[in-house]
Amino acid sequence: MRDPSALVEHPRNPNRHPKKQIELLARIIRHQGWRNPIVVSARSGFVIAGHGRLAAARFLGLTAVPVDVQEFETEADEWAHLVADNRIAELANMDEAGLGELLRDLGEVEDFDLDLTGFDDEALADLMGDGSPAEGEGAADPAVTGRGLVGDFGAAPFSVFDARSGAWLDRKRAWIESGIASSEGRAEELAFSTSSQPQETYDRKAAVEAAEGRKLGWKEFAQRFPEAMKQTGTSIFDPVLAEIALRWWCPAGGRVLDPFAGGSVRGLVSAKLGMHYTGIDLRPEQVEANERQAAEFGPVPGSARWITGDSRCLPELIGEAEPFDFMLSCPPYFDLEVYSERPEDLSALGSYAGFLEAYREIIRHACARLAPDAFACWVIGDVRDSRGWFHGLTGDTVRAFEDAGMRLYNDAILLTPAGSLPMRVRGQFEKSRKLGKTHQYVLIFGKGDPAKVAARCTLARLPEDDGQNG
């Protein structure tokens, strides 16, 4: 072991070591320790091999490095080894198919950093591939590449889900054509996208309230001044996202709890995949519409039931049956969409503080009904107040789950289709510098031992003869 500051690089070393290489070598040494010593000539005292490792050691501030002192009879022998140390390795022929397979296997090792192999992201992508053809090319040979990540899992298991991609849209279309019509049951009482309205809508509503000396509900305002409502309609839960969540994080045949059921999507997808779904919704009209769809959906290996009620009373609504294996839900984003004017409806509570109190209570009840080792998938997005500030709903959700005994395990971004946003965003951005929002958050919480739950989630990989909708 020698002090690296005392070692002397060979003055005729032909290799140059860029900063990127030195930083990578330093990461490898920090991760693995020393695998190869620095070779020093006993004859001249110069470093003959390991100049890059020496630079990395100095970069790390090490005070001792392993050195192999070797005998060289002549100066020519030193020079030859100086050149051959790198050149001999360069003469090897790389089996790229074998290397790609090895790298893919390394990628299966949890938390292993593939940068430690020496390849950057672009090179890794070229070598490993994802089983998908490049743009403008034919399909890759399935015998070499397999079905790729999307073919295997329904979507690449990355932290961004692209609901705009062709593969995603094709799968969504297949689910819809199978008989899912989640907007049914909302037409009569569906309220309005309040927090997503442009400022001119809020200004008009405030002016009317000032003139009449009273507050107007959004339903009354929309009925009296429909021309002022620039953003109408309701969001529909994406069936592909439901399928992915259920396949990836719910045990096969598991019992699924949904305290904010809404439309039929999550229940019908659960039943189609062989799970047993229980959803709770305030509105009997919505529950009846969901049940009609379930009856028309055809035979399924699982089951779906909906209960009319307030999830703040969840313990009384579902009784003391065995615990649930998974939770999948999409709660109201405060007042982004007001679903009804019922006093118990969280989307119509008026104040964020009141909403948050009820919201936390429901999360606490729902988490308590999960099995000791279970996941929960929560789809959420932040919303603005009337002055344009975000409430912080996503962060409040994480804290609510933590207080209920569950920890954040995965987080992902769901990129949603832009829809009418390109037509609306120009004026919004020019006036207020607000960005148009085209994403939601997918939060996965864990309870107990995530490894035990993952071991039971056997549906993650799509069947070989998969026909789009499972």
Side-chain angles (χ1 to χ4, degrees), residues 20 52 166 189 195 246 250 261 264 287 380 402 443 450 462:
K20 182 178 180 180
E189 280 195 75
S195 290
L246 290 159
C250 181
S264 63
V287 169
I380 195 69
E402 288 179 343
L443 305 179
L462 302 185

Side-chain angles (χ1 to χ4, degrees), residues 392-412:
L393 178 56
T394 305
D396 286 334
T397 298
V398 174
R399 285 185 286 273
F401 270 89
E402 288 179 343
D403 290 345
M406 300 189 72
R407 298 287 304 280
L408 185 62
Y409 189 68
N410 285 313
D411 67 321

